[in-house]
């Protein structure tokens, strides 16, 4: 089990690593400063491509995603903070552009779902266990079985 | 709980779950078909906000229409005394081609200002004059930056602007006379 878990972790990490590595379409999109480029990629990975909707702008080849990548890089270069860049994006496209949306009434169900799923799983397992224990028949013989056993042993002896 | 009733419950659970999901999906698809549900409409952060700042050049002249060469900017849009319909379009966009005949009908009721999105100016000029331009004013956003400030995700996309420059309505799909009657006409009533 432990081995499987670490294998799963390794797999997940390698997939996400590939996702970041192949982010931009062409090298000339990238910033010359590697630290700034890294920051831009991290920010871009949190922004939804509004054309493809299930990809980040770093993963997408849509023209709008390319434009937004350029905006992110320009703002990183001018020294804006991550928060300022996120704000610039949500001002224009709403919180929908954030791949991890902030906790609000509309997103509450989304955020509490993992906890809800875990709790209901534990509840179901507990319920199952309790009923299985109750249903186990006792090892003691009933009155009828005892009588039948006595009869059978008598038949055998005679 | 007895074994049989438990078995019945366990059999029913997936069937009930699948039916509930199926019904939900059917409702969504049905709504998408009759226009009651638009999955892209969940996101309209621009509604009620003032228009963004922009200043865009016009298109090259094509005979009759002189208004198209000047372009327009945010303060011109703000200083109008009647509501304006702003429409982002492109000659390379098929839904925009489909939208055009409808726009010409709508243009009889409200001035439409057009912004050519990421289009070659000469292509945009040819496109709007091929069957008659619905636009009172035209500008061009060649690098698509102004469109980003408007929160445009793809053409065609339309905004209704109140006098003073507040965004009253935003739609990220093609405009039709039916949609105009259903959603825009009621919003125009206070300005008549």
């Amino acid at each position: 089990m432990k081995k499987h878990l670490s294998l799963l972790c390794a797999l997940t990490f390698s997939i996400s690593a590939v996702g970041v590595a192949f982010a931009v379409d062409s090298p000339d999109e990238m910033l010359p400063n590697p630290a700034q480029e890294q920051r831009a990629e991290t920010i871009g990975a949190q922004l939804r491509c509004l054309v493809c909707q299930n990809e980040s702008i770093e993963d997408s080849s849509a023209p709008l995603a390319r434009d937004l990548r350029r905006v992110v890089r320009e703002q990183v270069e001018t020294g804006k903070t991550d928060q300022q860049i996120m704000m610039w994006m949500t001002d224009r496209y709403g919180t929908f552009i954030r791949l991890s949306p902030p906790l609000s009434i509309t997103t509450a169900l989304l955020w509490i779902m993992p906890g809800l799923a875990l709790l209901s799983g534990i509840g179901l397992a507990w319920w199952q266990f309790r009923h299985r224990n109750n249903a186990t028949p006792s090892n003691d013989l009933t009155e009828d079985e005892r009588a039948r056993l006595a009869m059978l042993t008598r038949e055998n002896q005679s | 709980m007895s074994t049989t009733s438990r078995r019945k419950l366990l059999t029913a659970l997936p069937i009930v779950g699948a039916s509930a999901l199926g019904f939900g999906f059917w409702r969504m698809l049905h709504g998408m078909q009759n226009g009651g549900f638009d999955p892209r409409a969940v996101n309209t952060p621009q509604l009620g906000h003032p228009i963004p700042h922009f200043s865009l050049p016009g298109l090259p002249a094509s005979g009759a229409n002189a208004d198209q060469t000047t372009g327009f900017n945010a303060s011109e849009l703000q200083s109008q005394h009647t509501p304006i319909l702003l429409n982002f379009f492109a000659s390379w966009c098929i839904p925009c081609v489909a939208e055009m005949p409808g726009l010409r009908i709508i243009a009889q009721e409200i001035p439409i200002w057009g912004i050519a999105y990421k289009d070659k100016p000469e292509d945009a000029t040819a496109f709007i004059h091929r069957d008659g331009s619905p636009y009172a004013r035209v500008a061009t956003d060649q690098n698509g930056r102004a469109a980003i400030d408007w929160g445009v995700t793809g053409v065609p996309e339309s905004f209704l602007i109140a006098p003073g420059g507040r965004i009253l309505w935003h739609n990220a799909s093609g405009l039709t006379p039916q949609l105009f009657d259903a959603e825009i006409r009621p919003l125009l009533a206070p300005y008549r």
Side-chain angles (χ1 to χ4, degrees), chain A residues 50 67 74 92-94 128, chain B residues 43 46 118 145 149 151-152:
Chain A
L50 295 144
D67 291 348
E74 279 170 12
R92 281 152 184 78
Y93 290 106
Q128 284 275 8
Chain B
N43 182 47
Q46 307 288 349
K118 291 198 159 191
R145 278 305 178 85
D149 286 338
V152 166

Side-chain angles (χ1 to χ4, degrees), chain A residues 86-128:
Chain A
M86 277 295 175
M87 193 70 121
W88 194 94
M89 291 291 172
T90 49
D91 277 350
R92 281 152 184 78
Y93 290 106
T95 48
F96 184 63
I97 199 172
R98 290 177 57 175
L99 279 170
S100 100
L103 183 61
S104 71
I105 294 191
T106 40
T107 59
L109 190 63
L110 188 68
W111 278 106
I112 63 169
M113 195 50 92
L116 218 59
L118 190 69
L119 275 180
S120 54
I122 291 172
L124 201 69
W126 175 77
W127 187 75
Q128 284 275 8

Side-chain angles (χ1 to χ4, degrees), chain A residues 36 71-81 84-85:
Chain A
Q36 284 186 341
V71 169
V72 169
R73 278 162 181 75
E74 279 170 12
Q75 300 200 357
V76 165
E77 270 189 318
T78 56
K80 283 205 183 174
T81 64
Q84 282 171 324
I85 298 173

Side-chain angles (χ1 to χ4, degrees), chain A residues 1-12:
Chain A
M1 182 62 202
K2 212 172 167 187
K3 195 179 153 197
H4 283 211
L5 208 65
S6 55
L7 197 70
L8 195 71
C9 284
L11 197 70
T12 317

Side-chain angles (χ1 to χ4, degrees), chain B residues 67-82:
Chain B
D67 273 343
Q68 69 177 38
T69 55
T70 51
F72 55 85
N73 57 34
S75 53
E76 277 177 89
L77 198 49
Q78 277 160 354
S79 59
Q80 297 303 306
H81 299 295
T82 58

Side-chain angles (χ1 to χ4, degrees), chain A residues 5 20 27 30 42 44 56 68 82 98 103 112 114 117 138 140-141 144 152:
Chain A
L5 208 65
V20 172
M30 290 161 73
T42 314
S56 79
L68 291 176
D82 293 10
R98 290 177 57 175
L103 183 61
I112 63 169
S138 88
D140 298 333
L141 295 179
D144 283 352
L152 286 170

Side-chain angles (χ1 to χ4, degrees), chain A residues 34-74:
Chain A
Q36 284 186 341
E37 172 62 27
Q38 185 63 50
R39 239 194 89 207
E41 280 176 21
T42 314
I43 297 167
Q46 299 167 50
L47 292 170
R48 181 191 306 278
C49 166
L50 295 144
V51 182
C52 332
Q53 305 211 341
N54 271 339
E55 278 186 305
S56 79
I57 59 165
E58 289 293 322
D59 292 327
S60 172
S61 297
L64 181 67
R66 198 165 52 229
D67 291 348
L68 291 176
R69 278 202 295 273
R70 199 178 306 137
V71 169
V72 169
R73 278 162 181 75
E74 279 170 12

